[in-house]
Amino acid sequence: MTLKLNIKNKFNVQLPADPVLENSRRQVKNACFSFVVPKRPSNPSLIHASPEMVDAIGLTSAMESKAFLDIFSGSELLPNTRPYAMCYGGHQFGNWAGQLGDGRAINLAEIEHQEKNWALQLKGAGETPYSRTADGLAVLRSSIREYLCSEAMFHLGVPTTRALSLVLSGDQVLRDVLYNGNPTFEKGAIVCRAAPSFLRFGNFEILAAQQDVKTLKKLADYTIQNHFAHLGSPSKEVYAKFFKEVTVKSMEMVIHWQRVGFVHGVMNTDNMSILGLTIDYGPYGWLEDYDHGWTPNTTDSTHKRYRYGTQPQIVLWNLLKLANALYPLIEEAEPLQSILAEYQAAVKVAYLEMMKSKLGLFTSDTEDHLFIEKLENVLQLSEIDMTIFFRKLAASNVSNTTDRLGTVSEAFYKAREIKGEIADAWKVWFSKYDQRLKKETKSTKERVAYMNSVNPKYVLRNYMAQLAIDAADKGDYSVLDDLFELLKNPYGEQPKNEKWFVKRPDWARNKIGCSMLSCSS
Ligand code: AMP
Ligand code: MG
C-alpha cells in the first residue's frame, strides 16, 4: 500500500538534470539538480505530524499508517517519482562560498491538492552530491526546532515553508555542538517540509557564477511560468518585474520577522527563498530582551552580521546579490538599481507602519518616525521582554490607567532597575503615547483588539523549544505536543497556558540551546 497523492512533478521534469547518477560528492555543472535517493533509516518511528499539513496535501487519516511512515522516513519511494537534490550556491556571511546545494535535503515529489502545489522535501535523509564534508543527516534537536517553528510561524501569519512530519530515524548522529572538539552521538531525525518551491537566491547565483546563462534563463523562465505566472511570458521586462516581486515578498517577510521578534540567525543568500518564505530554521531565536544587537547564532557572535536590527538591511544586501545573478538576463543595470532603491524607501515605510500597528496607531502624524525611534531607545535602556511588553501595552489601553509603566512592569527583567532616569524616560514616552492616541478615531476596544492581533501572546521562546528537546530526547513527546497545540493560536488568550506567557526563566539565560545556538545541526 502506498499514499494516494496527486503527483505533479515539474522541477525535475522541466529543468536540466545532472547527467551523473552516482551519489558522489562533486561540482555539478549545467544543471539545476541531481537525482538521488534517500538513505534507508535503520528503525524509523513517527514522532509527530502536522494535521493541517496532512490535510493540505490531500491525505486523511494517513498519519498512523505504515505507508506514511515509509514515505516520510525515506524508507520507500512514492511510485513514479525520482527524488532529487537541488544545486545552489550562496554568499555566506558576506563572502561567495561557491557551490553549496541540498547537502541533506532530498525532494521527494511535487504534488497538487486543492489548486495548490507543494514540493515535499526530506531534511536529514542522507548524503547527496552536495553534502561536501558533512553526513547529510540531521539530529532530533535541530529537527524539533525546525518542525515546531515552521508551523508556529505559519500560525503567526509569517510567510514560511511548512512542516509535515517529524520522524526519528533510529540512527545515531555524531555532532560537536560547541565546535570545541567534543563530539557526541545524538538521535537522528528527519523532517518532511513542504513549500510551493524551495528555490533560493543561491539557485540563480550558482548559474550566474558559472556563466551558464542558458541554464540560468531556463531556471528564471521556469520560476516565472510556475510561480509568477501572472507576470506574463518571460522577457527582459518580465525578468525585471520578477525581481521586483521578489524584493516585495522578501520585504514583507522580514517586516513580519521584526514584528514578531524572530531572528533568523543565518541570512546567507542560500537561505533566502525566491518566494519570500522563511526557510532553513537553524540557529534562529526569538527576541526576549528587546535588543537590536541580539543574534542567537554563536557562529556570528563577533560581527553580529545577522542581528535583529540589521535584518531588513541584510535582505537588501542579499537582493543585490540576486540582482547581480539576474543581470545577464536583463543586461541593463538601471532597472535593477531602481528596484533596489525602491526597496530601500519602501522598507522604511513598511517598518514604520508595522511598528505603528503594534501600538494601535491607525492615523498618520509627521512625527511618527521620531516617536517610534524614541520607543526603540527606551525599550533598549534595560532588559525588557518584547512579547510581554506589547501585550501589556494593549492591556494598559483597556484599563485606562494613569500608571502605564506599572501595567507593563511584568515585562521588565530587572524591575529594580526601573527607577531614576530609566523610569523618567518611560514616563515621558508614555505621556507622548497618551497624547498621540488622542489623534486616533477608533474606539479603545477596536484598538486593543487590533493590537492583540499583531502582537502575539505566545511565541516559541528559545527555552521552550529546549524543554521540548530535552523531554523528547528521553522519549517524552508531551512538551512537543503541548507546544505544537499552543502555537496554533498565538494571538488568542489561552487561560490554561498562562505558564508560557512569562519571561525567559533565569536558568535559560546562558544555557546552550536557549540563548546560544551554533550552526551544528
Ligand atoms: P545551512 O547553513 O544549514 O543553511 O547549510 C549550508 C549548507 O551546508 C547547505 O548546502 C546545506 O545543505 C549544507 N549542510 C548543512 N548541514 C549538512 C549536513 N549535516 N550534511 C550535509 N550537508 C549539510
Ligand atoms: Mg541552508
Side-chain angles (χ1 to χ4, degrees):
M1 222 201 57
T2 189
L3 298 176
K4 285 203 184 68
L5 288 166
N6 180 20
I7 293 168
K8 288 270 165 73
N9 285 323
K10 292 177 186 159
F11 192 88
N12 65 352
V13 176
Q14 297 178 18
L15 287 166
D18 170 10
V20 182
L21 294 179
E22 190 195 332
N23 190 357
S24 59
R25 292 151 203 236
R26 58 183 177 267
Q27 292 293 308
V28 173
K29 293 270 155 61
N30 311 118
C32 293
F33 65 92
S34 306
F35 289 112
V36 62
V37 288
K39 174 180 187 250
R40 257 176 191 276
S42 64
N43 185 21
S45 55
L46 181 66
I47 294 181
H48 208 280
S50 161
E52 292 76 21
M53 274 316 294
V54 169
D55 197 45
I57 63 168
L59 294 176
T60 45
S61 56
M63 273 158 71
E64 304 300 323
S65 76
K66 181 170 178 309
F68 187 91
L69 178 63
D70 283 347
I71 299 299
F72 298 114
S73 64
S75 306
E76 302 282 340
L77 296 185
L78 286 161
N80 306 317
T81 59
R82 291 189 79 187
Y84 56 95
M86 291 157 94
C87 178
Y88 55 80
H91 281 83
Q92 298 186 314
F93 297 96
N95 304 305
W96 175 242
Q99 178 182 300
L100 298 165
D102 285 334
R104 55 163 165 182
I106 298 179
N107 292 271
L108 293 180
E110 287 173 275
I111 64 119
E112 190 182 308
H113 183 63
Q114 291 176 336
E115 289 168 33
K116 281 203 175 129
N117 293 288
W118 297 99
L120 300 174
Q121 182 182 84
L122 299 185
K123 185 165 175 182
E127 62 185 90
T128 77
Y130 308 97
S131 297
R132 295 179 293 153
T133 56
D135 56 12
L137 304 174
V139 293
L140 180 59
R141 160 175 61 82
S142 64
S143 303
I144 288 178
R145 285 171 51 81
E146 170 133 21
Y147 182 79
L148 278 179
C149 201
S150 22
E151 290 302 277
M153 291 284 264
F154 169 74
H155 294 293
L156 281 164
V158 183
T160 179
T161 61
R162 302 287 305 272
L164 170 71
S165 56
L166 172 64
V167 165
L168 209 55
S169 66
D171 297 307
Q172 296 287 303
V173 176
L174 196 62
R175 285 291 180 272
D176 187 359
V177 182
L178 296 178
Y179 293 128
N180 63 0
N182 290 310
T184 51
F185 280 104
E186 299 184 46
K187 291 181 183 177
I190 300 158
V191 169
C192 178
R193 49 184 191 177
S197 167
F198 286 97
L199 277 169
R200 301 140 191 274
F201 291 8
N203 293 78
F204 297 84
E205 288 178 276
I206 188 74
L207 297 170
Q210 294 168 349
Q211 300 181 338
D212 180 0
V213 182
K214 199 169 141 207
T215 312
L216 177 66
K217 183 172 181 319
K218 279 187 190 157
L219 179 64
D221 292 358
Y222 167 88
T223 309
I224 291 166
Q225 281 153 1
N226 287 287
H227 302 288
F228 297 80
H230 57 281
L231 297 178
S233 318
S235 66
K236 285 193 181 191
E237 216 172 66
V238 169
Y239 294 134
K241 281 191 186 156
F242 160 58
F243 178 63
K244 168 77 189 177
E245 282 218 13
V246 179
T247 67
V248 172
K249 284 179 190 289
S250 306
M251 179 182 85
E252 287 167 358
M253 173 191 76
V254 77
I255 294 297
H256 277 295
W257 291 359
Q258 304 307 92
R259 173 174 64 82
V260 298
F262 175 80
V263 187
H264 183 284
V266 203
M267 292 175 70
N268 294 332
T269 56
D270 51 303
N271 291 337
M272 291 290 295
S273 145
I274 205 77
L275 301 184
L277 307 173
T278 313
I279 193 172
D280 279 9
Y281 290 86
Y284 68 82
W286 292 83
L287 213 55
E288 292 176 308
D289 170 25
Y290 185 88
D291 173 5
H292 280 212
W294 186 72
T295 175
N297 185 358
T298 49
T299 318
D300 190 24
S301 60
T302 316
H303 300 294
K304 296 190 171 26
R305 179 180 172 87
Y306 298 141
R307 61 192 182 271
Y308 173 72
T310 57
Q311 293 190 123
Q313 275 308 108
I314 290 293
V315 167
L316 175 66
W317 194 92
N318 290 341
L319 286 166
L320 173 63
K321 297 297 152 193
L322 179 63
N324 286 337
L326 296 178
Y327 174 79
L329 303 179
I330 300 172
E331 291 178 304
E332 260 185 281
E334 197 283 323
L336 294 166
Q337 275 163 353
S338 62
I339 293 166
L340 289 169
E342 282 161 28
Y343 173 93
Q344 270 179 292
V347 79
K348 281 197 192 120
V349 176
Y351 180 78
L352 180 64
E353 286 308 312
M354 178 279 290
M355 286 302 285
K356 280 174 60 186
S357 77
K358 291 179 79 67
L359 300 176
L361 301 177
F362 294 87
T363 61
S364 286
D365 184 295
T366 48
E367 304 266 287
D368 276 343
H369 63 287
L370 295 174
F371 177 59
I372 296 296
E373 243 175 67
K374 287 195 176 112
L375 171 64
E376 289 171 347
N377 291 340
V378 75
L379 277 170
Q380 292 182 88
L381 289 177
S382 63
E383 247 186 303
I384 182 161
D385 192 274
M386 177 179 180
T387 304
I388 298 178
F389 172 77
F390 283 103
R391 287 298 282 214
K392 291 288 173 188
L393 186 68
S396 77
N397 276 283
V398 191
S399 59
N400 223 350
T401 175
T402 47
D403 179 22
R404 284 195 189 263
L405 186 54
T407 320
V408 301
S409 64
E410 230 177 283
F412 290 101
Y413 277 85
K414 292 175 193 145
R416 272 178 287 117
E417 278 180 7
I418 312 308
K419 56 183 185 194
E421 281 176 19
I422 297 181
D424 291 345
W426 272 111
K427 282 176 195 150
V428 169
W429 187 82
F430 276 123
S431 87
K432 287 211 166 78
Y433 185 43
D434 283 328
Q435 284 302 313
R436 180 64 185 78
L437 286 176
K438 290 194 179 128
K439 295 207 167 121
E440 293 297 313
T441 49
K442 295 228 194 283
S443 70
T444 306
K445 200 172 157 210
E446 275 177 299
R447 178 167 67 250
V448 171
Y450 181 65
M451 288 171 80
N452 284 339
S453 74
V454 294
N455 296 316
K457 176 154 183 171
Y458 301 106
V459 294
L460 183 60
R461 289 168 182 275
N462 314 306
Y463 84 90
M464 289 161 65
Q466 192 57 39
L467 288 176
I469 292 164
D470 290 343
D473 206 37
K474 298 190 192 96
D476 169 5
Y477 303 120
S478 61
V479 186
L480 179 100
D481 292 349
D482 288 352
L483 293 182
F484 191 89
E485 291 304 315
L486 170 81
L487 296 167
K488 277 186 193 177
N489 183 15
Y491 300 101
E493 294 296 331
Q494 300 187 43
K496 279 196 216 127
N497 281 316
E498 285 288 318
K499 67 172 178 201
W500 297 119
F501 183 59
V502 290
K503 286 175 294 224
R504 173 201 62 223
D506 246 4
W507 60 259
R509 179 177 285 269
N510 296 314
K511 186 173 157 46
I512 303 300
C514 295
S515 61
M516 292 184 283
L517 290 140
S518 75
C519 286
S520 161
S521 58

